[in-house]
Amino acid sequence: MHLAAALAISLFVYLDSWPVGQFMLGRPVLLLPLLGLLVGEPLLGLWLGLVLELITLRSLPMGSALPPDPALAGAWTLLGISRATGLAQGNAQGAPHWTPVLLALLIALPLCWAAPWLTWAQRRINGALWRPRFLLAAEAGDVRACGRAMGATFTQTLLLGALASLAAILVVEHAAPLLEPLALRLSGHRLAGLLPLPWALLAFSLGGLWRHAAGRGGNHRLWMGLALGTVLALLMAVRP
Amino acid sequence: MNRALLRRLFWRSLLVQAAWNYRGMQHLGLLWAQLPAMPEDPQARKEAMARAAEFYNAHPYLCGYLLGAAAKLEPTGGGEALSRLKKAALSPLGAVGDRLFWAGLRPMAGAVGMLALALLATSPQTPRAGLPLALGLTALAVAAYNAIHLHWRWRALQDGYELGLGVAQSIRALVSHRALAHTGAALAVLAGVVPPLVLASARGDGVVEGLGGALVFVLAMLAGWQLPARGSALPLALAGLGLMWMFM
C-alpha cells in the first residue's frame, strides 16, 4: 500500500478516536477486518480486530482518561506489516497458522498503550498554544477570530496526527521482519498447541467482559446468555 | 423553531472535542459550536462568548442540551441563568453519557461485532468466503449504534432549544432513563452468548487442541473475570503468559 494511502487511513482512524464525531467507525472489530481485506490479509485483520477489541472493550474514555487505543494501534500494525518486505510469510513457509497473528499482536499490544500519548500531546498543545487565542477572541467578542483559531487547531491536529502515523507505520514496517523470528519461535514452541496466545488473551478478555456485564445487568441474565450461546454453538456443531 | 440554526449547531457539535485541553477541557469546542447562536449586539456577544468559554466537560454526545438552551437563552438576555444551568448540568450529562454510551452501547456494539466474527468462524464455509457476511453484521451493529447516537444528539439539541432553562428537567430525567437498565441487561446476555460461540469456533482448526486447550481457555476466562478491572491486571497476565511460554 502506498504510504500516502496508509497515512490517510491512519488519520481517519485518529480523528474518529476523539477529535471528530466519535462514530465508533474506528472500533477494531470492524476496522481491522476491513483494513485486512484492503491490504490483502483478511484473516490477519479479522483475528487482530477480534483480539484487540476483546482486550480493550472495558477501557472507557471517561472524563480526561486516556485508555489504550486499539484501533490506531491495529491500523498502524496492519498498514506497517503490509508494507514490510522480507517477511517469511508464516503460512507460506508451512509455519503454524497463528504466526502472523502472533507477530501482529507482538507489535500492536505495545502500540495500544503508546498511541494515547499522541492524544495527550495534542491536548497539551491545545492548552498551551491554541487556548490563549480562543480566549482572546472571546474577550474581544470576535467570532471570526474564534473560527480561525478552530481552523488552526484542527490543521495542527491533522499535521501532528500525520507525523505520528508516518513514524509509527515506518517503525512497524522495519520492526516486523526483526520480530518475526520471535513470533515463529513462540508459535513453534512445544507448548504452543496447548497455550496459543491469541486464545488465552481472548479468553482473558471475555472473562473481563463477563465481570463488567455481571456488574451491570445481573448474573441471571449472563447465565441466560451463556445458555443461549451454548444452544447456538451446539446447533452449529450438529449442522450438516 | 429555527431548524437551519439547529442544523448548524448540530454539525458543529460533532467537533466539540476538537480543541480539548487539560485546563478547560471541552470549553473551546463548545464555544466554537455556539458561535452561530451568538447575539448580534457586540457587548452582549462579548459576554456570551466569555460565558461559553467557561470550563466545560461532559459526555460529547449530550452537549446538545446546553447548545440548544444557549441558542434560546443568549439572544434573549438569559445568559446568567444559562451559566448556572451549565454548571449544574455538567455532572449528570457526564455520568449518564458515560454509562449509556461508553459503558453500555459501545461495548454492546463491539460484542455484536465479535458475535458476527464468531459466527463466521463457526461457519461451514471457509472463513474467507463468509467474511462479507460477518463484516455486514458488524457494520449493521455500528450503523445501529450511530443511528441511536445521532438521534440522541439531535433530540438533545431540540429539547434544549424548545425548553430553554426547562431543559434541566430533561437532564434530570436522563438519570433514571430506562435505556440505562436495558443496555446493562442486553450487555449481560450478549456477554453470555459470545464465549460458547467463540469456543465452538475453535473446533477442527487445530488452534485449541483437546481438553488441555479448553482448560486453558476456561482458566484464562476465569482469571479475566476475577482480576481487577483496572490497573496492572492485563500487563501482569500478559507477562506471566509470555514467561510461561518462553521458559517452560
Side-chain angles (χ1 to χ4, degrees), chain A residues 17-25 27 29-30 33-34 37 40-43 46-47 49-50 53-67 97-98 102 109 113 119-120 122-124 126-128 130-131 134-135 137-144 146-147 150-151 153-154 157 182 185-187 189-214 216-219 221-230 232-234 236-237 239-240, chain B residues 14-25 27-29 31-32 35 38 42 45-47 49-50 53 57 60-61 98-100 102-111 113-114 117-120 122-124 127-128 131 134-135 138-139 141-142 145-146 149-150 153 180-181 183-203 205-209 212-213 216-218 220-230 233-235 237-238 241-242 244-248:
Chain A
S17 70
W18 70 275
V20 182
Q22 294 182 297
F23 294 106
M24 217 186 76
L25 301 174
R27 293 306 301 170
V29 75
L30 175 75
L34 273 176
L37 268 181
E41 296 276 2
L43 293 181
L46 190 149
W47 270 106
L50 190 64
E53 179 75 46
L54 279 162
I55 289 172
T56 53
L57 200 58
R58 285 181 301 162
S59 307
L60 308 173
M62 289 176 175
S64 59
L66 285 175
H97 74 275
W98 59 84
L102 266 176
L109 283 174
W113 274 264
T119 304
W120 177 85
Q122 182 55 53
R123 289 175 170 187
R124 286 274 171 203
N126 285 347
W130 305 119
R131 184 173 175 271
F134 272 99
L135 294 186
E139 208 174 300
D142 190 342
V143 171
R144 282 176 182 274
C146 200
M150 180 54 105
T153 309
F154 198 71
T157 304
L182 179 62
R185 190 180 153 206
L186 288 175
S187 59
H189 195 277
R190 61 194 159 90
L191 277 183
L194 182 67
L195 189 65
L197 185 61
W199 281 97
L201 280 173
L202 202 128
F204 179 81
S205 308
L206 272 172
L209 182 62
W210 269 37
R211 176 197 176 94
H212 181 67
R216 292 178 51 73
N219 275 321
R221 291 193 177 95
L222 192 63
W223 293 117
M224 204 166 75
L226 190 64
L228 185 65
T230 308
L232 280 174
L234 286 173
M236 281 172 187
R239 187 172 50 189
Chain B
L14 298 178
L15 269 83
V16 76
Q17 299 221 99
W20 203 104
N21 62 84
Y22 285 101
R23 296 184 69 181
M25 300 201 168
H27 67 151
L28 302 178
L31 163 67
W32 181 78
L35 290 181
M38 287 295 166
R45 191 167 62 229
K46 267 187 200 179
E47 289 168 10
M49 285 178 77
N57 193 42
Y61 293 175
D98 284 348
R99 275 184 64 198
L100 188 62
W102 287 168
L105 275 179
R106 204 169 84 136
M108 201 154 73
M114 285 185 293
L117 295 188
L119 287 172
L120 160 72
T122 53
S123 162
R128 200 177 288 265
L131 197 60
L135 283 176
T138 315
V142 175
Y145 172 87
N146 279 313
H149 136 227
L150 290 173
R153 272 188 192 263
L180 291 172
T183 50
L187 188 62
V189 173
L190 268 175
V193 170
V194 174
L197 287 178
V198 171
L199 199 56
S201 74
R203 77 193 150 77
D205 67 357
V207 178
V208 174
E209 290 168 0
V216 168
F217 189 92
V218 171
M221 200 151 76
L222 288 175
W225 195 2
Q226 287 305 315
L227 285 174
R230 290 186 180 278
L234 184 59
L238 288 178
L241 283 172
M244 275 175 69
W245 206 322
M246 291 179 87
F247 296 111
M248 278 181 70

Side-chain angles (χ1 to χ4, degrees), chain B:
Chain B
M1 185 189 291
N2 187 345
R3 290 186 77 84
L5 173 66
L6 283 189
R7 273 197 292 273
R8 288 181 73 190
L9 292 175
F10 176 80
W11 291 117
R12 282 175 173 248
S13 76
L14 298 178
L15 269 83
V16 76
Q17 299 221 99
W20 203 104
N21 62 84
Y22 285 101
R23 296 184 69 181
M25 300 201 168
Q26 295 166 343
H27 67 151
L28 302 178
L30 194 73
L31 163 67
W32 181 78
Q34 209 180 309
L35 290 181
M38 287 295 166
E40 292 293 324
D41 174 59
Q43 187 55 34
R45 191 167 62 229
K46 267 187 200 179
E47 289 168 10
M49 285 178 77
R51 273 191 292 273
E54 287 167 1
F55 176 90
Y56 175 75
N57 193 42
H59 196 278
Y61 293 175
L62 301 182
C63 66
Y65 286 107
L66 291 175
L67 268 180
K72 170 106 171 183
L73 294 171
E74 283 292 4
T76 55
E80 290 301 323
L82 174 71
S83 197
R84 285 195 296 277
L85 171 70
K86 193 168 147 183
K87 284 188 181 86
L90 287 185
S91 298
L93 285 182
V96 170
D98 284 348
R99 275 184 64 198
L100 188 62
F101 292 104
W102 287 168
L105 275 179
R106 204 169 84 136
M108 201 154 73
V112 169
M114 285 185 293
L115 193 62
L117 295 188
L119 287 172
L120 160 72
T122 53
S123 162
Q125 298 173 303
T126 60
R128 200 177 288 265
L131 197 60
L133 177 67
L135 283 176
L137 281 173
T138 315
L140 203 65
V142 175
Y145 172 87
N146 279 313
I148 295 170
H149 136 227
L150 290 173
H151 168 73
W152 212 297
R153 272 188 192 263
W154 180 254
R155 212 187 67 183
L157 202 54
Q158 271 186 326
D159 274 7
Y161 192 71
E162 279 174 11
L163 302 173
L165 274 184
V167 80
Q169 297 294 332
S170 294
I171 294 171
R172 197 172 299 145
L174 278 179
V175 178
S176 53
H177 201 286
R178 64 179 191 275
L180 291 172
H182 290 332
T183 50
L187 188 62
V189 173
L190 268 175
V193 170
V194 174
L197 287 178
V198 171
L199 199 56
S201 74
R203 77 193 150 77
D205 67 357
V207 178
V208 174
E209 290 168 0
L211 195 61
L215 190 67
V216 168
F217 189 92
V218 171
L219 284 177
M221 200 151 76
L222 288 175
W225 195 2
Q226 287 305 315
L227 285 174
R230 290 186 180 278
S232 55
L234 184 59
L236 276 178
L238 288 178
L241 283 172
L243 283 174
M244 275 175 69
W245 206 322
M246 291 179 87
F247 296 111
M248 278 181 70

Side-chain angles (χ1 to χ4, degrees), chain A residues 13 16 27 30 38 51-52 76 81 88 92-93 104 107 118 127 130 145 157 165-166 168 172 176 184 196 198 217 227:
Chain A
V13 176
D16 186 62
R27 293 306 301 170
L30 175 75
L38 205 65
V51 175
L52 290 184
W76 285 342
I81 286 180
Q93 299 292 313
I107 297 169
L118 172 59
W130 305 119
T157 304
S165 297
L166 178 68
V172 173
L184 273 166

